[in-house]
Amino acid sequence: MTAMTRTTDRVDPTDLTVAPTPADPVVDSLRLGQVDVDPLPHVPDEQATERPTPSRPRGVSRGLVLALISAVGFATSGSFAKALLEAGWSPGAAVTARIAGAALALGIPALWLMRHRLRAFADNWGVILAYGVVAVAGSQLFYFNAVTHLSVGVALLLEYLAPVLIVGYLWLRTRRTPSPATLLGATLSMAGLALVIDLFGGIGIDPVGLLWGLAAACCNATYFLLGARETKDLPPIALAAGGMVVGGAVLGLAGAVGAIPMVATTAPVVLAGLDAPWWVPVLGLVLLAAAVAYGFGVAATRRLGSTVASFVGLTEVVFAVLIAWLLLGELPGLVQLAGGALILAGVAAVKFGESRA
């Protein structure tokens, strides 16, 4: 700003023709004399200009990449867990090791990142508690109970009803009818999921298992809804780490009281046709199937929103089939490949519908 020259001429305060100058507030107050007006401070151009917000397409594309990475991480859990189960581990022990290990893997960088604002954990304790109890521990426990009464395919289909539940929940809450593309995408995704998990190969419905499966679906929907919330001063990795700590504690308590069996061995496992020590699949469960999956999942959901993120999460089933082919030699069939194509088409339709909305 150029320097201002002062004048010794007396200015009549009643003279309304004097043009205001961008001088500093002290001189303005002297010029105004007896007029009781507080001059506004000058705002530099760089502060007055609103900062440009990042374009939505860039944020959405990053969100899609993060969501796909999360889906791949979740997809590895089946192959790593199966290797442990065949070596004598119980499902409860494998999942507890996965969540407790992820609490350590995510907790260290989260504490370092939050070292100057640890109070944010206390300010958001409700969200962290709900995320750990419902989205982490609850979904695991309810799914295990569902598979004791139902086939794995039916239990998976029930758990992955979460995207449809989210669409219905938001429909009721906002009173806005989902776009035709969103409804079409939901239909295509559910049909594709049924084909991928070979639902019609051997179906059996037990009322108790049905309730457990629906409870797991509600927990899965909560995972996306809580992940989409903007928590004050709590980045995604901090929310994921806090949830892992709470979830690991709940699973450990459930094992201690006998709610879930806890059996672990140090016997070698078989991965990709090769013998490997037991800690290799455990490390995979901790780092890929939990730390990467949950950490990237929260970051993706905050960018995409719960609806789109939940539908992209369905690609986990497709990736799980491909990873099982690579690590366990289980080849996917043509029906499963067709189902994967339907899931991808459904995700694209939902993404289109949400972007238009």
Side-chain angles (χ1 to χ4, degrees):
M1 178 169 31
T2 58
M4 182 193 67
T5 58
R6 300 193 180 189
T7 177
T8 57
D9 296 337
R10 184 177 182 81
V11 179
D12 187 354
T14 61
D15 186 1
L16 302 180
T17 63
V18 178
T21 59
D24 86 269
V26 176
V27 177
D28 283 346
S29 62
L30 292 174
R31 287 184 171 181
L32 289 171
Q34 297 177 350
V35 180
D36 189 15
V37 177
D38 292 331
L40 293 176
H42 175 65
V43 180
D45 292 340
E46 62 269 15
Q47 294 182 9
T49 305
E50 191 179 36
R51 291 182 179 180
T53 56
S55 61
R56 181 172 177 81
R58 175 179 294 183
V60 170
S61 61
R62 288 180 179 176
L64 288 173
V65 172
L66 293 174
L68 290 174
I69 294 175
S70 174
V72 172
F74 278 120
T76 62
S77 63
S79 297
F80 288 133
K82 186 172 182 178
L84 290 174
L85 297 180
E86 291 179 347
W89 286 59
S90 67
V95 171
T96 303
R98 168 191 178 189
I99 301 303
L104 181 62
L106 289 174
I108 294 176
L111 287 176
W112 174 259
L113 178 66
M114 304 290 291
R115 62 190 183 279
H116 298 306
R117 42 188 174 134
L118 294 177
R119 183 176 176 80
F121 287 104
D123 293 338
N124 297 280
W125 69 269
V127 176
I128 294 174
L129 183 64
Y131 188 85
V133 173
V134 180
V136 177
S139 61
Q140 304 289 338
L141 290 174
F142 293 156
Y143 175 73
F144 283 150
N145 284 319
V147 295
T148 61
H149 298 276
L150 302 171
S151 66
V152 174
V154 175
L156 273 176
L157 181 62
L158 291 173
E159 183 180 16
Y160 282 103
L161 284 175
V164 179
L165 295 180
I166 291 174
V167 170
Y169 167 76
L170 296 177
W171 188 353
L172 291 175
R173 195 187 71 175
T174 62
R175 305 292 182 182
R176 296 180 185 174
T177 303
S179 66
T182 299
L183 296 177
L184 174 62
T187 303
L188 292 175
S189 296
M190 290 299 102
L193 180 62
L195 293 178
V196 171
I197 64 179
D198 194 17
L199 175 64
F200 305 106
I203 185 171
I205 298 296
D206 180 274
V208 176
L210 178 63
L211 292 177
W212 285 121
L214 291 176
C218 292
C219 292
N220 199 16
T222 303
Y223 160 76
F224 289 105
L225 291 171
L226 289 177
R229 292 185 56 175
E230 287 293 340
T231 49
K232 182 181 178 182
D233 298 328
L234 197 67
I237 188 175
L239 175 59
M244 294 299 105
V245 172
V246 174
V250 171
L251 289 171
L253 180 61
V257 300
I260 54 176
M262 292 288 189
V263 178
T265 71
T266 58
V269 301
V270 177
L271 278 176
L274 302 174
D275 290 335
W278 62 272
W279 53 264
V280 172
V282 171
L283 202 61
L285 283 175
V286 169
L287 297 180
L288 295 178
V292 169
Y294 281 97
F296 280 75
V298 176
T301 305
R302 289 190 179 180
R303 285 172 170 81
L304 298 176
S306 56
T307 302
V308 176
S310 63
F311 277 94
V312 177
L314 291 177
T315 59
E316 172 193 339
V317 184
V318 180
F319 289 128
V321 172
L322 297 177
I323 292 173
W325 175 28
L326 295 175
L327 295 183
L328 304 178
E330 298 177 353
L331 295 175
L334 292 178
V335 174
Q336 290 177 310
L337 294 176
L342 283 178
I343 289 177
L344 295 178
V347 170
V350 171
K351 175 65 184 66
F352 176 78
E354 291 296 309
S355 62
R356 291 293 299 271

